[in-house]
Amino acid sequence: MKGENKAAPGERASSLVSIRTAGRDVRVEYQWIAPERRDAPLLVFLHEGLGSLAMWKDWPARACDAAGCRGLVYSRPGYGRSTPRPHAEKWPASFMHHQAADVLPALLRALDVDVRTDPPMLYGHSDGASIALLYAALNPDACGGVIVAAPHVFVEDVTVRNIDAARLAYRQGDLRDRLARYHDDVDSAFWGWNDIWLTPAFREWNIEALLGDIRCPLLALQGVDDEYGSLAQIQSIVDRAPRAAMQVLPDCGHSPHRDQPAAVIEAIRGFLGEVARPAPAAAGGPAPDAT
């Protein structure tokens, strides 16, 4: 089932599609960017732990225009206009694995994306970056490339401290009101994310062992002033993923696409250009498709 949501003046409408995951049907909010670029690469945007389709604003469209690609933006279940998380439901420590192994593949199938002939590129931010890494590791033949911004591959003290501070800001400050503009059920979005990250057992969460399974090109971005993680996160990726490179962004916190939008767009444009470039023919030999 597909449907369309109404948009505020000046905004593009998002749509809804039903998928089946974890034994139940849920609605996922999504939006295509430049679908008319049929032969261009597809770049899928995966939002942060408190994000949604609407919270990206026009940045994904600007990035796709600069890179000349198509785009797909969506709100994970529990966020935006997608089906909310039941308030009594607690996410397990494997919640990001579930998103990578089940939810994103189901969404791509529902939207008729043939990952065998059209393997998507992924741009993930924060939790969305971790999900992108997991998807690329678990589905190596169904991913054309990955760009991650402020990813988490293990849990650091600085991350937990600032997520704990976010809980206080949500309860006593204006964070709940600010987030409510972007989520139909803001408590579903906030507490699903906040509770699991602050669960003591989650301190053992670590996906470093899977990074070596990522076969596609990978670019890891992080700001030097990231308040939710140290540069050890992207260094770990480069140390383990065979085709990974990293870029450190000055004057940049946890949200590179907001703090350094032009630099990140240029990084995306360059990355997609390199990935899409045909491999050169061997010296003295025929071109790859010569007969």
Side-chain angles (χ1 to χ4, degrees):
M1 181 191 74
K2 297 181 181 179
E4 185 171 293
N5 287 316
K6 293 182 179 180
E11 294 181 352
R12 296 171 58 192
S14 61
S15 300
L16 294 171
V17 64
S18 291
I19 65 169
R20 189 161 185 83
T21 177
R24 66 187 183 198
D25 294 323
V26 297
R27 303 181 316 277
V28 176
E29 178 190 25
Y30 72 96
Q31 185 180 86
W32 291 109
I33 298 171
E36 68 278 3
R37 298 174 186 148
R38 297 180 185 275
D39 297 326
L42 173 62
L43 184 59
V44 181
F45 293 83
L46 291 85
H47 62 74
E48 63 187 292
L50 292 178
S52 68
L53 184 157
M55 196 178 288
W56 288 107
K57 300 184 179 178
D58 68 343
W59 188 81
R62 291 163 52 203
C64 289
D65 286 345
C69 64
R70 295 172 290 148
L72 173 62
V73 192
Y74 73 102
S75 298
R76 295 193 295 274
Y79 296 93
R81 292 172 175 164
S82 296
T83 298
R85 173 190 59 88
H87 287 197
E89 179 181 284
K90 301 293 185 182
W91 287 350
S94 60
F95 78 99
M96 287 188 269
H97 290 70
H98 171 64
Q99 292 292 325
D102 190 10
V103 175
L104 180 53
L107 174 64
L108 295 173
R109 287 193 300 270
L111 297 179
D112 300 320
V113 176
D114 187 341
V115 297
R116 297 166 301 176
T117 60
D118 187 20
M121 309 278 188
L122 306 180
Y123 179 92
H125 174 219
S126 192
D127 282 16
S130 304
I131 294 166
L133 292 170
L134 286 164
Y135 176 88
L138 298 171
N139 305 277
D141 297 321
C143 188
V146 181
I147 306 169
V148 291
H152 305 287
V153 297
F154 57 91
V155 179
E156 295 184 275
D157 290 342
V158 65
T159 314
V160 174
R161 282 199 305 270
N162 280 295
I163 290 176
D164 191 42
R167 174 176 291 206
L168 185 65
Y170 191 82
R171 284 175 165 164
Q172 300 181 10
D174 66 347
L175 180 58
R176 187 180 189 278
D177 291 339
R178 289 189 284 117
L179 289 173
R181 293 176 288 175
Y182 302 106
H183 303 284
D184 281 356
D185 187 333
V186 66
D187 289 333
S188 163
F190 182 83
W191 292 114
W193 166 80
N194 193 264
D195 280 346
I196 184 55
W197 269 96
L198 295 181
T199 299
F202 194 69
R203 294 302 298 265
E204 304 302 316
W205 178 88
N206 188 307
I207 64 171
E208 290 175 297
L210 290 172
L211 297 175
D213 295 333
I214 300 175
R215 299 205 296 256
C216 63
L218 195 166
L219 176 61
L221 309 171
Q222 190 166 5
V224 295
D225 304 314
D226 191 336
E227 62 273 30
Y228 283 94
S230 75
L231 295 177
Q233 299 286 340
I234 61 172
Q235 186 64 57
S236 177
I237 294 170
V238 172
D239 289 345
R240 290 168 173 79
R243 302 179 68 185
M246 71 180 191
Q247 182 174 340
V248 177
L249 300 168
D251 301 316
C252 181
H254 188 61
S255 298
H257 67 282
R258 289 194 285 267
D259 294 346
Q260 293 288 353
V264 179
I265 286 174
E266 180 58 24
I268 292 172
R269 189 196 64 77
F271 179 83
L272 266 62
E274 286 293 325
V275 171
R277 183 175 299 161
D289 58 351
T291 57

